[in-house]
Amino acid sequence: MSEPHPTTGLDDTVHQRVRLGILAMLNGPQRCDFTLLRTELKLSDGNLNRHLAVLEAAGYVTLTKRLDGGRPRTWISATKTGKHALAAEVAALRQLLERVDGQI
Amino acid sequence: MSEPHPTTGLDDTVHQRVRLGILAMLNGPQRCDFTLLRTELKLSDGNLNRHLAVLEAAGYVTLTKRLDGGRPRTWISATKTGKHALAAEVAALRQLLERVDGQI
């Protein structure tokens, strides 16, 4: 094994289970609202907020609050940097799966 | 999306970057020694010890100390439970990659 092990290049900001789920959900669509992320990823408000704050601080997502029928609604989008970070994670995971497959 | 998001089923004990690397390295061979894991995964002694303790407490690895030419050497093996836990992680990651691919 001369190449570095694929897990050595993983970025914990993206790899962490919940944040990986958030970035994966934001990869396709233009944006997701807070409630959809919370429901799909089975999170509490506090837990989702905490992980969104980490991703926002890293420059991986942006949050926009808008009134929707008088009620505040938070929309979340992945930035270009966030999409690149997910792509790097996905590439590393693919390498890892290839190694694990090769061991069987 | 009616199926649960693949990240909701990930087990943090296995998914964490360093521990995923350890279990992936132990998946093929009968056992690895401490030095090989430390070198391949670019870890300090303390960091590797800490993560091995988490995996051992979960019943995912066993540690065996033996004298080798008068020097103590630690061998690490994945248990059957540990290999099953890695297999579940790998299956969830595969689902995740399929979703991300489907979004492009």
Side-chain angles (χ1 to χ4, degrees), chain A residues 1-5 7-12 14-18 20-29 40-42 86 89-91 93-94 96-97 99-101 103-104, chain B residues 1-5 7-12 14-18 20-29 40-42 86 89-91 93-94 96-97 99-101 103-104:
Chain A
M1 299 193 200
S2 54
E3 283 191 15
H5 195 274
T7 57
T8 59
L10 293 177
D11 167 4
D12 287 324
V14 180
H15 182 70
Q16 194 280 338
R17 187 180 73 76
V18 173
L20 182 56
I22 295 170
L23 287 176
M25 283 197 62
L26 295 173
N27 195 43
E40 274 290 313
L41 301 174
K42 301 184 196 301
L86 179 67
E89 164 85 13
V90 162
L93 291 179
R94 250 185 249 290
L96 180 78
L97 294 184
R99 282 216 191 190
V100 171
D101 284 343
Q103 285 167 346
I104 293 165
Chain B
M1 298 193 200
S2 54
E3 283 191 17
H5 195 274
T7 58
T8 58
L10 293 176
D11 167 4
D12 288 324
V14 181
H15 182 69
Q16 194 279 339
R17 186 180 72 77
V18 173
L20 181 57
I22 295 170
L23 287 176
M25 282 196 63
L26 295 173
N27 195 44
E40 274 289 314
L41 300 175
K42 300 186 195 302
L86 180 67
E89 164 86 12
V90 161
L93 291 179
R94 249 185 249 291
L96 180 77
L97 295 184
R99 282 216 191 190
V100 171
D101 284 344
Q103 285 167 345
I104 292 167

Side-chain angles (χ1 to χ4, degrees), chain A residues 11-99:
Chain A
D11 167 4
D12 287 324
T13 309
V14 180
H15 182 70
Q16 194 280 338
R17 187 180 73 76
V18 173
R19 295 193 290 268
L20 182 56
I22 295 170
L23 287 176
M25 283 197 62
L26 295 173
N27 195 43
Q30 209 65 13
R31 58 182 193 175
C32 277
D33 88 329
F34 188 91
T35 310
L36 178 65
L37 286 179
R38 192 191 54 196
T39 309
E40 274 290 313
L41 301 174
K42 301 184 196 301
L43 300 168
S44 66
D45 282 13
N47 203 0
L48 177 52
N49 269 321
R50 202 160 47 245
H51 288 294
L52 286 175
V54 174
L55 291 171
E56 195 180 25
Y60 292 170
V61 303
T62 52
L63 276 67
T64 318
K65 292 188 190 197
R66 293 221 182 100
L67 282 182
D68 182 12
R71 292 181 56 189
R73 195 166 174 190
T74 303
W75 290 96
I76 300 107
S77 304
T79 62
K80 207 169 168 180
T81 318
K83 294 195 178 197
H84 283 160
L86 179 67
E89 164 85 13
V90 162
L93 291 179
R94 250 185 249 290
Q95 278 183 37
L96 180 78
L97 294 184
E98 277 171 25
R99 282 216 191 190

